[in-house]
Amino acid sequence: MTEKAEPELALGPQPLHFVGEPRSCWGFVEVQNRSSERLGLRGIPISVSGLKNSASLPLTKVDLFARVLPGESFRAHLCLSLHPQTPPGRYAAEILLGKDRRKTIIEILETWELSVLPDRFNIKGPAGKRITRTVWLTNHGNMPWSIPDALFAP
């Protein structure tokens, strides 16, 4: 019972496609062990231009940890965790496993997420007096968002 680094592992025949928001973009892949030995898998290399992982580093691998018995195949649910401000759109990629190279599409959906600090506050003052309060707005999504001018008092 020896462990190898994936020389006889192959991708199944199903098409590959990832869909989701940047922090959780999901897809499936079928992995086949075509050898007579138990093999270990510690990730699947991916080649894609312009996408970064959640740590802002180039995306080079999809995490998948498994031990695959001889002749076994299984379907794995994979999650890409990309930089949260990855723009929405379709990105062409290539998955590499053993001798197999498979084109895939990564489809990033729009994410609208805005935080306001402080999240609660009261303003009291005499009528007619101008009162100011600092409020922080942070865009955590991947879509541009602007504050309408009407929110600012003259």
Side-chain angles (χ1 to χ4, degrees):
M1 198 165 18
T2 61
E3 296 280 335
K4 286 191 177 179
E6 60 192 357
E8 301 280 339
L9 292 174
L11 295 168
Q14 290 80 13
L16 303 173
H17 191 93
F18 292 88
V19 177
E21 296 177 353
R23 291 184 180 140
S24 58
C25 192
W26 294 94
F28 290 95
V29 66
E30 182 182 351
V31 176
Q32 302 172 341
N33 180 351
R34 296 182 179 162
S35 78
S36 58
E37 300 179 42
R38 183 175 95 171
L39 300 175
L41 181 61
R42 292 191 177 94
I44 298 176
I46 187 169
S47 174
V48 59
S49 178
L51 288 185
K52 296 190 182 295
N53 63 21
S54 57
S56 295
L57 299 172
L59 181 64
T60 58
K61 183 174 88 167
V62 181
D63 289 333
L64 174 62
F65 300 94
R67 285 186 171 64
V68 192
L69 298 174
E72 178 183 42
S73 70
F74 69 95
R75 191 170 186 207
H77 200 182
L78 301 177
C79 181
L80 299 177
S81 183
L82 304 173
H83 189 277
Q85 293 178 332
T86 301
R90 294 171 62 94
Y91 298 84
E94 191 172 56
I95 297 279
L96 312 150
L97 186 61
K99 296 176 185 173
D100 288 345
R101 293 172 114 52
R102 182 79 53 81
K103 292 189 184 305
T104 185
I105 295 293
I106 300 170
E107 191 167 349
I108 306 299
L109 304 176
E110 293 178 356
T111 304
W112 297 89
E113 185 179 346
L114 186 69
S115 66
V116 180
L117 287 175
D119 60 349
R120 293 181 186 187
F121 56 90
N122 293 319
I123 299 176
K124 294 181 182 179
K129 180 168 177 161
R130 182 177 179 166
I131 300 170
T132 60
R133 173 73 178 178
T134 301
V135 176
W136 293 91
L137 299 173
T138 305
N139 182 357
H140 299 283
N142 64 356
M143 295 298 295
W145 192 88
S146 59
I147 301 168
D149 290 340
L151 291 179
F152 297 100

